[in-house]
Amino acid sequence: MAQYFSLHPEQPQARLIRQAAEIIRGGGLVVLPTDSAYALVCAVGDASQLERIRKIRGVDDRHHFTLMCRDLSEIAIYARVDNSQYRLLKATTPGPYTFILEGTKELPRRVLHPKRKTIGLRIPEHAVVSALLAELDGPLLTSTLLLPGEDLPLTDPDEIRERLEKQVDLVIEAGYCGPEATTVIDLTSGSPQLVRAGRGALEPFGLEAD
């Protein structure tokens, strides 16, 4: 049965953040709100939790996972970032964007796209996520909480708890979290390419939605 924490959205309780971090360090799978939709998160190197996420999402090994990072210096540890990419990241983070970049050897191969060796990277603008990343002193592996056959991510933490209480270890509630996922931008081909239009605006990248 999943535990359920209610956190203040702007000043999350330090005690509960520490408990959530311990659950993740102990191999737990957690649902938490972000600056876009709710997300499934786990420790980066935990292969069993990776498979749990794939099972809940109904995706295969070609699914692009994302690292939630604290800042640009942390992104640079896990992804290859050139000067032009860095300028774009600096101008648009933190915020509701996921960037596809080439992963580095700091990451387990199983979290990278099997053919492209890429990974999604994001820096959310959400106090709960920031506090949890600071407590963990490292990134989280994450995927949007979008269930198979559904068009939008789950938004109601009570419904999330009811539907996933036997599949996750903790549900974190921190006020309203909308249904719109991040905007996904591929930065691996020289110029930004739109993968998914979401909450983040496209103007900073000179792109338009289809």
Side-chain angles (χ1 to χ4, degrees):
M1 299 288 285
Q3 297 188 62
Y4 189 87
F5 293 174
S6 289
L7 274 69
H8 191 283
E10 297 177 2
Q11 296 178 319
Q13 303 91 312
R15 174 181 60 85
L16 294 178
I17 289 292
R18 287 193 296 270
Q19 290 181 23
E22 284 305 309
I23 289 170
I24 291 169
R25 290 191 188 103
L29 181 58
V30 175
V31 175
L32 84 171
T34 74
D35 53 350
S36 52
Y38 271 90
L40 293 154
V41 303
C42 67
V44 174
D46 197 322
S48 62
Q49 304 317 313
L50 194 69
E51 291 309 312
R52 287 174 74 185
I53 293 177
R54 286 190 175 125
K55 185 176 180 180
I56 291 170
R57 286 290 317 272
V59 296
D60 60 21
D61 63 356
R62 291 169 294 180
H63 174 70
H64 251 125
F65 282 91
T66 295
L67 284 190
M68 281 185 185
C69 297
R70 287 173 289 182
D71 51 36
L72 289 178
S73 62
E74 193 164 77
I75 281 183
I77 296 172
Y78 299 103
R80 303 185 191 283
V81 181
D82 64 24
N83 290 337
S84 62
Q85 291 166 340
Y86 183 87
R87 286 192 293 272
L88 275 175
L89 293 171
K90 187 174 182 180
T92 53
T93 60
Y97 296 100
T98 297
F99 299 96
I100 305 299
L101 291 162
E102 182 184 352
T104 68
K105 293 182 179 180
E106 295 296 321
L107 288 171
R109 291 186 64 183
R110 61 179 169 268
V111 307
L112 299 172
H113 189 280
K115 291 186 177 180
R116 301 183 61 200
K117 308 305 180 190
T118 48
I119 183 98
L121 283 299
R122 64 176 295 200
I123 305 174
E125 190 170 20
H126 194 287
V128 171
V129 180
S130 297
L132 186 55
L133 291 173
E135 180 66 29
L136 289 166
D137 194 27
L140 283 165
L141 192 69
T142 177
S143 184
T144 303
L145 184 52
L146 180 63
L147 300 185
E150 301 195 2
D151 296 326
L152 294 173
L154 297 180
T155 61
D156 183 338
D158 291 324
E159 181 187 1
I160 293 169
R161 184 186 192 186
E162 180 180 344
R163 294 180 65 177
L164 297 179
E165 63 180 357
K166 295 181 180 179
Q167 299 179 67
V168 302
D169 301 292
L170 170 65
V171 175
I172 294 176
E173 178 274 327
Y176 177 73
C177 186
E180 204 168 12
T182 57
T183 290
V184 181
I185 305 290
D186 190 330
L187 295 180
T188 62
S189 61
S191 60
Q193 303 294 317
L194 179 63
V195 178
R196 179 182 71 196
R199 185 164 176 242
L202 299 178
E203 287 81 1
F205 308 97
L207 297 170
E208 294 182 0
D210 295 336

